[in-house]
Amino acid sequence: MSADIAITNGTIVDAGGIRRADLRIENGVVVEVGEKLDGDTVIDADGLVVSPGFVDLHTHLREPGDEEAETIQTGSRSAALGGFTACVAMPNTNPAMDSVAVVQQVLDAASDALCEIVPSAAMTIGRAGEQLAPMAELVRAGVRVFTDDGTGLQNDRLMRTALDYARGLDHLTDGFQVVLAQHCEVESLAAGGVMHEGEWSSVLGVPAQPAEAEELMVMRDIALARLTGGRVHFQHVSTRGSVSMIREAKAAGLAITAEATTHHFTLDHSACRTYDPAFKVHPPLRTQDDVAAIKAGLLDGTIDAIATDHAPHTRQAKERPFLTAPPGMLGLETAFAVANTELGADIEHLVRLLSVNPARIAGIDDRHGGTIEPGRPANLTVLDLDDEWTVTGAAMASRSTNTPYEGRTVRGSVRHTFWNGDQVVDMGEATR
Amino acid sequence: MTATTLRQRGPKHLLSMADLDRDDIEQILNLTESFAEVGERSIPRVPALRGKTIAWLFYEDSTRTRLSFETAAKRLSADTMNFSVGSSSVNKGESLRDTVETIAAMGIDGIVVRHGAAGAPRQVSEWTDASVINAGDGWHQHPTQSLLDLYTARQHLDELDGKHIAIIGDIKHSRVARSNALGFSAMGARVTLVAPPTLLPSTLDGWPVEATHDLDAVLEELDICYLLRMQLERQGQAVVPSLREYHNEYGLTSARADRLPNDALIMHPGPMNRGVEIAGEVADRPAAVITEQVANGVSVRMAVLFLLLGSGLDVVDEQRAIA
């Protein structure tokens, strides 16, 4: 008989709401939820929140291809420390995750990970936007989310074809509708712009892209979702216009979901004024008005999930000039704290945005998100909502240090994380 | 007012015209006058920066600015070091920081940086103790160009307060426009940008300027008609339909030049596209002070190098040092 673990005196927050209860984990599964439970190991969660583990819909793990910036191992440790028990791995690796072989390579490399790595796959071969990836084969291999993230699929007709084709894959997924996740950016309008087009780009003399470069593709994909009945997920929504179009499309009953990153509801384009490439990201940091709209969208449910778009880059890559440095920011280890500090959502809503909703969108809600009840895999995180700490890139588990929150004091920390009952974070430290 | 104020205010770098207030600019222009006199001597050289080493870090091709800075450094007796990098080095993924630290390790007092990426000189300034001078960064700033323009204009107009300058052409992609909008307005001039909307930034919030699309409407009230170089490759990029149309609508044609007030100056940062932004004949009129701008560039850069790298003497001592 294996040893069991009891988490006592905590406040459970999950899809079922909020309640005081103890729980007991055995053989990787929650076996009991109730009062005054005991176990071989007892974790006192008095004053703490016990939540289903977080699910990141948008993680760049850089393996294979750029292991100097991150590996699946280091990225998953970063995730566990951030309270995540599952990460949807973006396919813009090198080679791209556009075949079963590369997807399998990622799954193999994930064997020593500290959380579940859920591979997404590219919509098109090589993410080149020209030929569809073997979607049925990839779905058979377990893929549920397709995306060319890093770029949007520019060709209208090919996007329509992808949505139509994906509708015919339901029989391989027990009816789960395969998700086409879009990085919305019309390249001909974005025209190489590396920050938001507005008063800051004008003064700084930096090539910029307007909010409309995102919004035009949101508009197109809403139209194509309507046309095909396909399921579209909007990645890292960053503008007021996008939020309002998505709100309207959802009200009209379209099968649309959306995510927003923490940086898009906490930072604006003025952060670029020192040309520090730490603040270079795609889509770019927008205006305060957009920041407010993203927050409102997350609070009213228009945007379903907080995603990190965790995008590690080496120090040397981020020490190039703003124009040529690669875009992207770390996010896994700060997402919960930053959201808890800045969003103004209660913990029940935060758990929906970080766990319940993204688990459902990624099709992994049989084991992540949901409610904490007997029989469920023990994918859990234990949170201190009041603990204050200062963000330091160098102290992170990620191989990279490119956090945009360096030096910022945030509130809320991850005490413990359990993945399939395995305690991967203990008192804020990774156990392996 | 002493020459040390620029340094004492903190910045030992010249990255943007936004770093300079009116007093700073006047100080530089006044010192430029003294250095211009050095240039007229039979041996145009003073020991003001003897023992100082200046490195050139040019990521972008530049003949004029580079020669001008080199001449200025020589006249001040500074040692110079050339770290010429083709733009390809950037594409090879070389860390800008590694390059800067390599140069800094050789022991230098100043780095003059030109880079195709806006903000690169600012990054350089964070990685070295040497003074950093921006010799042009992308579309952002080219402060010594603005200073030589201010100096040239002041020579002819005495006072820039209340004067009206139109900057005409490709504002959006121009570091000269961004520098001069700040420089001329800091000196009390009224700045009007003239360009089609496709060559203006989408917003001018934060710019101390007015803007118009109608050159003919402002010509007769100008003290300075400042033409920017039209990048020939912009033609057809949905920015302007053709260079011919650009010349007709925004070029300083002979007919337009005739409508300028008699004492108005015609300026251009060079190199000119005769027949595009300026009619060939107009560039040769007495009102065109384009070659004077180039000549003054050396003196202005001497002043900047001296103020940033010099010994920290006050103005009186400086006059003595260069005497």
Side-chain angles (χ1 to χ4, degrees):
Chain A
M1 190 179 135
S2 78
D4 61 353
I5 305 169
I7 302 175
T8 61
N9 303 318
T11 301
I12 293 179
V13 178
D14 61 15
I18 187 164
R19 62 196 182 281
R20 289 294 293 268
D22 298 351
L23 63 90
R24 195 163 64 81
I25 302 167
E26 198 175 332
N27 292 325
V29 175
V30 175
V31 290
E32 207 176 347
V33 178
E35 286 182 35
K36 298 197 176 3
L37 301 183
D38 202 2
D40 299 325
T41 307
V42 177
I43 292 174
D44 183 8
D46 186 29
L48 305 178
V49 163
V50 183
S51 143
F54 300 149
V55 173
D56 187 19
L57 287 171
H58 200 134
T59 317
H60 296 277
L61 292 167
R62 302 296 185 219
E63 184 178 354
D66 190 11
E67 289 84 353
E68 196 176 340
E70 195 79 285
T71 65
I72 287 171
Q73 167 80 9
T74 58
S76 72
R77 186 176 295 126
S78 210
L81 287 165
F84 292 89
T85 52
C87 290
V88 178
M90 288 296 106
N92 64 333
T93 47
N94 188 12
M97 291 152 63
D98 60 0
S99 68
V100 171
V102 183
V103 166
Q104 193 56 53
Q105 184 185 346
V106 168
L107 287 171
D108 291 347
S111 61
D112 61 351
L114 282 75
C115 69
E116 181 172 349
I117 302 302
V118 182
S120 64
M123 273 195 266
T124 64
I125 300 287
R127 300 172 45 250
E130 287 164 7
Q131 186 188 346
L132 291 185
M135 293 174 74
E137 202 175 309
L138 286 158
V139 166
R140 285 181 194 276
V143 172
R144 295 293 178 268
V145 177
F146 290 87
T147 174
D148 279 355
D149 182 54
T151 58
L153 182 48
Q154 303 296 309
N155 185 310
D156 306 340
R157 183 169 158 185
L158 193 57
M159 184 61 192
R160 186 241 166 116
T161 305
L163 283 163
D164 272 333
Y165 191 75
R167 269 193 305 120
L169 302 172
D170 293 11
H171 62 288
L172 303 176
T173 59
D174 288 332
F176 177 83
Q177 207 177 350
V178 166
V179 182
L180 297 194
Q182 190 77 281
H183 167 122
C184 288
E185 180 178 350
V186 172
E187 281 168 10
S188 68
L189 187 58
V194 297
M195 68 177 287
H196 174 70
E197 181 178 311
E199 63 265 34
W200 282 103
S201 67
S202 173
V203 168
L204 294 170
V206 171
Q209 55 172 282
E212 285 75 5
E214 171 175 314
E215 291 163 0
L216 278 178
M217 195 170 281
V218 170
M219 190 184 294
R220 180 200 71 176
D221 284 355
I222 287 171
L224 293 177
R226 187 184 299 118
L227 175 67
T228 61
R231 182 169 163 197
V232 177
H233 174 72
F234 291 109
Q235 299 179 301
H236 42 48
V237 168
S238 71
T239 79
R240 175 174 290 277
S242 297
V243 175
S244 71
M245 285 187 283
I246 291 165
R247 186 177 288 127
E248 214 174 291
K250 282 184 148 187
L254 296 181
I256 279 171
T257 53
E259 71 188 32
T261 68
T262 49
H263 47 269
H264 286 119
F265 68 80
T266 55
L267 299 167
D268 70 43
H269 58 158
S270 68
C272 303
R273 66 188 176 277
T274 63
Y275 298 94
D276 182 346
F279 299 102
K280 181 175 174 181
V281 66
H282 283 181
L285 300 177
R286 305 284 188 185
T287 67
Q288 268 305 321
D289 182 57
D290 294 308
V291 166
I294 300 299
K295 274 190 186 176
L298 282 162
L299 292 173
D300 74 8
T302 300
I303 303 173
D304 304 87
I306 293 171
T308 68
D309 196 0
H310 181 81
H313 290 292
T314 60
R315 201 196 73 165
Q316 62 267 27
K318 281 291 193 183
E319 283 174 352
R320 293 165 68 182
F322 193 91
L323 187 68
T324 51
M329 304 170 163
L330 298 186
L332 287 168
E333 292 173 68
T334 49
F336 165 68
V338 168
N340 185 52
T341 309
E342 303 246 0
L343 185 57
D346 59 31
I347 185 63
E348 289 173 81
H349 195 56
L350 276 181
V351 169
R352 277 194 288 275
L353 292 170
L354 282 162
S355 176
V356 178
N357 294 348
R360 210 179 47 233
I361 290 168
I364 55 173
D365 50 345
D366 58 332
R367 52 197 191 275
H368 296 276
T371 50
I372 296 172
E373 59 194 11
R376 295 274 296 183
N379 293 318
L380 306 167
T381 185
V382 180
L383 308 166
D384 181 335
L385 303 189
D386 302 315
D387 182 35
E388 290 200 347
W389 56 285
T390 300
V391 178
T392 313
M396 290 184 180
S398 170
R399 275 208 154 172
S400 297
T401 59
N402 55 305
T403 172
Y405 299 111
E406 185 71 36
R408 189 186 281 222
T409 299
V410 290
R411 195 180 63 251
S413 62
V414 174
R415 287 291 191 84
H416 310 286
T417 304
F418 293 86
W419 176 44
N420 285 334
D422 179 13
Q423 185 165 11
V424 288
V425 174
D426 182 11
M427 297 300 289
E429 302 282 340
T431 57
R432 56 188 169 91
Chain B
M1 178 52 126
T2 69
T4 51
T5 53
L6 187 55
R7 275 190 304 266
Q8 286 172 344
R9 261 189 336 106
K12 55 179 185 177
H13 310 297
L14 179 57
L15 304 176
S16 164
M17 288 303 287
D19 298 341
L20 305 176
D21 61 20
R22 183 173 184 151
D23 286 345
D24 296 330
I25 294 171
E26 275 173 356
Q27 181 192 354
I28 293 168
L29 301 188
N30 291 341
L31 191 60
T32 299
E33 252 171 62
S34 314
F35 282 121
E37 180 267 321
V38 171
E40 288 157 15
R41 298 182 194 169
S42 54
I43 301 171
R45 190 177 280 248
V46 289
L49 290 185
R50 185 184 288 154
K52 302 282 184 183
T53 304
I54 303 168
W56 315 122
L57 183 56
F58 276 59
Y59 278 83
E60 210 180 55
D61 288 339
S62 154
T63 310
R64 297 157 169 264
T65 304
R66 170 79 168 274
L67 283 176
S68 180
F69 266 111
E70 278 183 12
T71 308
K74 279 194 185 117
R75 287 185 181 171
L76 292 169
S77 308
D79 295 321
T80 61
M81 182 194 289
N82 184 16
F83 203 99
S84 194
V85 242
S87 54
S88 61
S89 302
V90 179
N91 298 329
K92 284 175 195 160
E94 177 187 40
S95 156
L96 183 58
R97 180 175 187 158
D98 285 344
T99 308
V100 170
E101 288 180 349
T102 303
I103 300 173
M106 296 175 195
I108 49 159
D109 303 286
I111 305 183
V112 178
V113 185
R114 167 165 290 197
H115 203 294
R122 184 183 169 126
Q123 288 173 293
V124 170
S125 74
E126 284 160 13
W127 298 322
T128 173
D129 293 331
S131 285
V132 176
I133 296 163
N134 181 0
D137 62 330
W139 307 342
H140 178 223
Q141 284 281 318
H142 190 0
T144 57
Q145 176 71 46
S146 178
L147 290 165
L148 72 88
D149 290 335
L150 291 166
Y151 182 78
T152 306
R154 200 178 74 161
Q155 273 189 317
H156 288 272
L157 303 173
D158 290 334
E159 178 63 62
L160 297 177
D161 235 333
K163 297 294 194 297
H164 190 181
I165 176 173
I167 303 174
I168 303 151
D170 186 356
I171 310 293
K172 180 177 178 176
H173 306 101
S174 173
R175 53 190 172 219
V176 175
R178 282 185 177 77
S179 306
N180 271 336
L182 295 173
F184 277 88
S185 69
M187 296 303 285
R190 177 182 164 203
V191 180
T192 301
L193 307 179
V194 186
T198 51
L199 294 178
L200 286 169
S202 58
T203 172
L204 288 170
D205 285 358
W207 291 58
V209 298
E210 300 155 58
T212 176
H213 312 309
D214 184 0
L215 176 55
D216 292 309
V218 296
L219 274 180
E220 282 160 20
E221 53 189 64
L222 294 181
D223 299 292
I224 305 167
C225 183
Y226 196 105
L227 302 153
L228 296 172
R229 176 180 164 78
M230 182 65 183
Q231 305 283 320
L232 300 181
E233 62 273 17
R234 304 243 181 258
Q235 175 179 224
Q237 282 183 359
V239 175
V240 290
S242 71
L243 293 177
R244 181 175 173 276
E245 177 156 314
Y246 178 79
H247 179 69
N248 290 341
E249 299 297 320
Y250 295 95
L252 189 61
T253 58
S254 300
R256 286 203 177 99
D258 290 343
R259 291 179 50 216
L260 287 168
N262 283 336
D263 50 356
L265 301 176
I266 298 168
M267 301 180 74
H268 191 295
M272 279 183 288
N273 298 303
R274 287 175 187 256
V276 181
E277 65 267 9
I278 185 166
E281 171 270 316
V282 173
D284 299 325
R285 290 190 185 190
V289 293
I290 297 160
T291 49
E292 281 177 49
Q293 289 172 266
V294 177
N296 291 332
V298 175
S299 311
V300 159
R301 289 174 177 123
M302 287 173 79
V304 166
L305 290 172
F306 183 74
L307 282 170
L308 293 178
L309 307 177
S311 51
L313 307 174
D314 70 18
V315 138
V316 179
D317 294 326
E318 270 154 15
Q319 299 291 359
R320 216 174 283 136
I322 64 174

